[in-house]
Every structure is written in structure tokens, then in C-alpha cells.
Amino acid sequence: MRYLFGLLVAGVAFTALTFLSDRTTAAESESIESVMKKLYSKKGIFKTMKASVGEGGSDWAVYGKQSKDYVKLADALCKCKPELGTQASWDKLTKEHLDAAKALDQASTKKDLEAVKKALATLQDTCEACHENHR
């Protein structure tokens, strides 16, 4: 009986550890394509924020969540390997993109609409530079 109980406990522990380790690496395993879709598709974070800001919106609760998600995805992009171009260029450009995402998050936290607009413009510039080298 103790043997069966020991096997049950070991099985539960193994399952729990496997589940938790899969969850902690999910952001790290994002592909370039999945990050781009989540950030820049028609319903992606960038376009929805830019449209809302352009209309004079100031839904700071939504901006706060979106900007935090933006930082996580930009960080995941830094961990990807480029299909084209050099790794050094990729590292430089994705760091600039991540820094701009962090600026967006800070601006959203401070509820500074002009800083949000500036951060969105910087993000757009970082996209264009990266695409020239890696797309």
C-alpha cells in the first residue's frame, strides 16, 4: 500500500512540475511570426492602441494591460533567432524595440497620452529598421 501511495505522490509531483515548467517557458518559445501577429496584425496590440490614441481615447486600464503584454512579447522577440540577417543586428534592433515597448509601458502607467503617442511612433520606426535587415 505504501508503494502505491509513493507512486501516486511521485506521479502528481511529476505532472505538477511538468505543467509549471511549460507555463514559465511559454513566452520564451514564441516564434517571430506569433509575436508579429499578436503585436501587429489588424487586431494586434499596436494597431488597436494606435487607433484608440488617434481617436483621443484614454482608456488607461486597457493601455496598461496592453503595454505590459507588449513588453512581454517584445522580450520574447529578443530571444528569437533571425531567419535573415546577422544575430548582432537582430540583437541590437530587438533591444531597441524592447526599450520602446518599455517606454510605452511607462507612459501608460503615468497616463501620459503624448508620451504614449511618442512611444508608438518610436515602435513603428524600430519595426521599419528591423524589416530592412531581417525580412
Side-chain angles (χ1 to χ4, degrees):
M1 187 65 141
R2 284 184 179 170
Y3 178 74
L4 289 176
F5 182 73
L7 285 176
L8 177 65
V9 169
V12 169
F14 177 76
T15 302
L17 288 173
T18 302
F19 175 76
L20 291 174
S21 68
D22 286 348
R23 292 187 61 158
T24 59
T25 60
E28 294 173 7
S29 66
E30 293 275 1
S31 69
I32 295 169
E33 183 179 356
S34 70
V35 170
M36 289 295 138
K37 283 182 182 177
K38 290 174 184 176
L39 290 177
Y40 299 107
S41 68
K42 289 181 182 179
K43 294 185 180 184
I45 295 171
F46 180 83
K47 290 190 179 181
T48 57
M49 281 189 86
K50 190 166 182 177
S52 178
V53 167
E55 295 169 359
S58 57
D59 190 344
W60 296 109
V62 172
Y63 293 168
K65 180 184 179 336
Q66 289 178 326
S67 65
K68 287 185 186 350
D69 290 344
Y70 209 122
V71 170
K72 288 177 188 174
L73 290 164
D75 186 53
L77 192 62
C78 290
K79 295 174 176 118
C80 293
K81 302 293 181 207
E83 295 174 12
L84 298 172
T86 66
Q87 186 66 46
S89 171
W90 179 264
D91 293 343
K92 176 186 176 287
L93 294 170
T94 57
K95 183 185 179 316
E96 290 173 4
H97 182 256
L98 177 59
D99 291 344
K102 288 177 180 177
L104 176 65
D105 186 42
Q106 290 173 350
S108 295
T109 300
K110 293 178 182 176
K111 299 179 181 178
D112 183 342
L113 190 59
E114 289 307 311
V116 167
K117 289 178 183 179
K118 183 178 177 184
L120 288 169
T122 302
L123 282 163
Q124 188 164 353
D125 292 342
T126 65
C127 292
E128 292 168 5
C130 193
H131 286 193
E132 286 177 14
N133 292 285
H134 298 284
R135 188 168 184 208

